[in-house]
Amino acid sequence: MVRVPLTEAERERGERLGVVLREARGARSMAEVATRAGISVETLRKIETGRIPTPAFFTVAAIADAVDLPLDLLRRAVEAAPLEQAV
């Protein structure tokens, strides 16, 4: 199965997602949030930096839950915010 390349809009949305999640993490360590979300620190780092622009829904939901960010607020922030000011 060949994976279709991401569009520029999809890559930008992934970067915005990372910015929003990083801001929501605040002063909490990556290790703390990753442990609470049940993912590796490296996966969290890649999502926060946009290197995984389309993470699985359940991964995003677990991170959002770990940082107490309701999914509806996350969705609105990712859709509406400019890349520089996502939260």
Side-chain angles (χ1 to χ4, degrees):
M1 183 170 152
V2 176
R3 184 173 181 163
V4 178
L6 297 175
T7 66
E8 185 62 30
E10 289 169 325
R11 282 191 293 279
E12 288 176 4
R13 187 179 61 222
E15 290 175 11
R16 286 193 307 271
L17 172 66
V19 169
V20 171
L21 291 174
R22 168 61 189 101
E23 290 294 320
R25 180 165 59 86
R28 290 173 274 214
S29 72
M30 287 185 121
E32 175 188 347
V33 172
T35 298
R36 287 189 65 196
I39 62 172
S40 71
V41 172
E42 185 60 24
T43 296
L44 180 58
R45 180 178 292 108
K46 287 178 179 178
I47 292 169
E48 285 187 357
T49 60
R51 289 182 20 223
I52 299 178
T54 58
F57 170 77
F58 293 104
T59 301
V60 174
I63 297 168
D65 186 52
V67 297
D68 301 317
L69 178 62
L71 287 176
D72 60 328
L73 293 179
L74 174 61
R75 180 188 56 81
R76 281 186 260 152
V78 169
E79 287 179 353
L83 187 55
E84 301 83 35
Q85 299 176 331
V87 174

